[in-house]
Amino acid sequence: GSVRVMADEKNRFETVLDALSEAVIALDATGRITLVNRATLTLLNLETPPTGQTLLETVRIAELGDLVQRMQS
């Protein structure tokens, strides 16, 4: 059914995302991290995805927090 198709698409998307050499971080409307790929974990020296945290909580670089706020406006 459609749930299986959606699950398959999600798995395919995550596989492609993890294969990218570039770091990818997805944020929700409130600025919380919803998804990161393997390159992000490596770049930020993280062992586990920081899902639910803000970008500022994760990387502690104020300029990135400012950038996210400007993008949301």
Side-chain angles (χ1 to χ4, degrees), residues 18-62:
D18 272 343
L20 293 174
S21 59
E22 295 85 7
V24 176
I25 302 172
L27 305 174
D28 66 14
T30 66
R32 300 217 170 260
I33 296 171
T34 59
L35 179 107
V36 297
N37 67 347
R38 192 170 303 148
T40 300
L41 296 177
T42 301
L43 177 70
L44 300 178
N45 197 29
L46 301 172
E47 292 183 18
T48 59
T51 306
Q53 294 181 351
T54 65
L55 193 56
L56 187 56
E57 290 170 331
T58 302
V59 295
R60 308 256 184 230
I61 300 173

Side-chain angles (χ1 to χ4, degrees), residues 28-29 31 65-73:
D28 66 14
D66 293 343
L67 176 63
V68 170
Q69 285 181 341
R70 284 197 313 262
M71 291 173 54
Q72 289 176 325
S73 337

